[in-house]
Amino acid sequence: MEFSAGQLAAMLNGRVEGDENVKVYTFAKIEEGKNGAISFLANPKYTEYLYTTKSSVVLVSESLVPTKEFTCTLLRVADPYVAIAQLLRLADQYLSPKRKGIDASASISEKAQIGENVYIGQNVVIEDGAVIGNGCQIYANTFIGQGVSLGEDSLVYANVTIYKGCKVGNRCVLQAGCVIGGDGFGFAPNPDGSYSKIPQLGIVRLEDDVEIGANSTIDRSTMGETLIKRGVKIDNLVHIAHNVVVGEDTVMAALTGIAGSTKIGKHCMFGGQSGVVGHVEVADNSNFAAKCGVSSTI
C-alpha cells in the first residue's frame, strides 16, 4: 500500500504541513524512522526525535509548535494516537484478510451450529450445542465446549479454551492461550484441615467488543455469571475471579488480579500488577497505578 500525505490527510481529516505529494508505504517509530515511513508523535518525551527522524511523514497534534528545524512533512490531526490507530487498523485489514473454510482436522459436533463465512483451523474442537456466529475466525487447537455461543465476527486465536455454557459476544478478540470459564477458586474448609471443592455451576459472559489478552483467565461463577461488559480490554496474564463484574470500557494492564464477587465500574483503568480484594465495589472512572492494591470499596 502506498499513499501520499495529501491522501492520508483526507482520510484522517488532517492538515498537511510540507510536501503533500510525499509518499509513504510503511510504518516506523519516530526514533527509528526511514524514508517512505509514517510515524507519529503523541508523547512529549519523544519530541526531540521530530528534528532528527528520517520518516517522510509524522502525525502530530494541531497544537504542536516546533522549536527547531525538521525535514519531514507534518500531518496535523486532532489526536495523533487515534489517527495512527486508524491507519494501523486499515493496514491490518489489507495485510491480514479474513480466512474462510474449515480444516479437515477440526472436530465439530453434528449438534453444533456453524454460521456462514467462518474460518475453523487445524485441530479445533467444537462440542455439542455450541453456536458459532457468522464471520468468526477460530485458530488452531482451540477448544469450544458444550453450549458455548460465539458472536458474529469474533476472533479466537490459537490454543484458547472456552468452557461449557460460556457466552461470547460480537466482535470479541480472544488472544492465544486465554481460558474463559475455568472453575472459580471455591473450596470449603473442613474440621480436619482439608478442603472440599465447591462446584462452580455458573458461566462467563463476555459482551460485545471485548478483548482478552494472551494467557489471561476468567473464572466461571459459582452461580449466575462472571460478567465482562461491553468494550472491556484486558491485557495478557490477567486473572478475573468468579462472580466478578467488570463495567463497560474498563481496561486492565498485565498481571492485574481481581478477586471474587468484586464489582468494577465502567471506564476504570488498572496499571500492571494492580489488584483488588474480593466483595468490594469500585466506582466508575477510577484509575489505579501499577502495583496499586485496593482493599476496600471505592
Side-chain angles (χ1 to χ4, degrees), residues 6-285:
Q7 288 173 319
L8 293 174
M11 291 167 58
L12 299 171
N13 195 28
R15 176 171 61 87
V16 176
E17 187 174 314
D19 183 3
E20 67 176 16
N21 294 315
V22 65
K23 298 291 182 64
V24 296
Y25 60 88
T26 189
F27 297 91
K29 294 188 290 186
I30 192 170
E31 66 271 31
E32 299 175 357
K34 60 183 180 180
N35 186 50
I38 183 169
S39 300
F40 75 105
L41 176 60
N43 189 328
K45 68 187 289 186
Y46 292 92
T47 300
E48 284 301 311
Y49 291 110
L50 178 64
Y51 311 115
T52 60
T53 188
K54 295 180 180 178
S55 287
S56 298
V57 176
V58 178
L59 289 160
V60 299
S61 69
E62 285 284 3
S63 61
L64 176 76
V65 179
T67 58
K68 301 178 185 179
E69 292 185 356
F70 55 90
T71 60
C72 58
T73 291
L74 301 185
L75 178 46
R76 293 186 177 272
V77 292
D79 187 328
Y81 197 66
V82 171
I84 198 69
Q86 182 178 340
L87 292 180
L88 287 167
R89 283 194 298 271
L90 290 172
D92 183 56
Q93 291 170 8
Y94 178 80
L95 296 171
S96 302
K98 278 189 172 184
R99 299 185 183 186
K100 294 181 183 179
I102 298 175
D103 192 272
S105 65
S107 176
I108 302 174
S109 168
E110 294 180 355
K111 298 180 181 178
Q113 299 179 37
I114 308 299
E116 298 178 353
N117 300 317
V118 302
Y119 169 70
I120 299 175
Q122 293 178 326
N123 301 317
V124 169
V125 175
I126 300 177
E127 292 196 324
D128 293 354
V131 178
I132 308 301
N134 296 335
C136 286
Q137 307 272 288
I138 305 171
Y139 282 78
N141 302 319
T142 287
F143 172 83
I144 296 178
Q146 296 178 20
V148 167
S149 64
L150 189 61
E152 294 187 357
D153 297 312
S154 286
L155 175 56
V156 182
Y157 283 103
N159 300 304
V160 169
T161 299
I162 308 176
Y163 282 69
K164 65 179 181 181
C166 293
K167 311 298 180 187
V168 178
N170 300 319
R171 300 174 302 281
C172 290
V173 177
L174 306 184
Q175 297 288 349
C178 71
V179 178
I180 309 299
D183 281 354
F185 193 59
F187 295 89
N190 298 315
D192 63 1
S194 64
Y195 290 87
S196 295
K197 183 176 178 64
I198 300 171
Q200 306 292 293
L201 303 181
I203 65 168
V204 172
R205 180 183 299 275
L206 310 182
E207 293 187 346
D208 295 344
D209 302 302
V210 168
E211 179 157 348
I212 308 298
N215 292 322
S216 289
T217 57
I218 303 177
D219 287 350
R220 69 193 310 108
S221 57
T222 308
M223 54 190 73
E225 297 179 339
T226 300
L227 178 58
I228 311 299
K229 293 190 175 181
R230 179 198 52 77
V232 168
K233 312 300 181 189
I234 292 176
D235 198 1
N236 306 328
L237 298 168
V238 170
H239 176 62
I240 308 294
H242 56 185
N243 295 94
V244 167
V245 176
V246 180
E248 292 90 343
D249 296 311
T250 284
V251 294
M252 296 181 180
L255 299 172
T256 293
I258 311 297
S261 299
T262 283
K263 292 180 172 57
I264 307 295
K266 60 186 178 181
H267 299 291
C268 294
M269 299 179 69
F270 290 82
Q273 293 187 317
S274 55
V276 185
V277 302
H279 302 274
V280 299
E281 296 187 11
V282 174
D284 297 345
N285 304 302

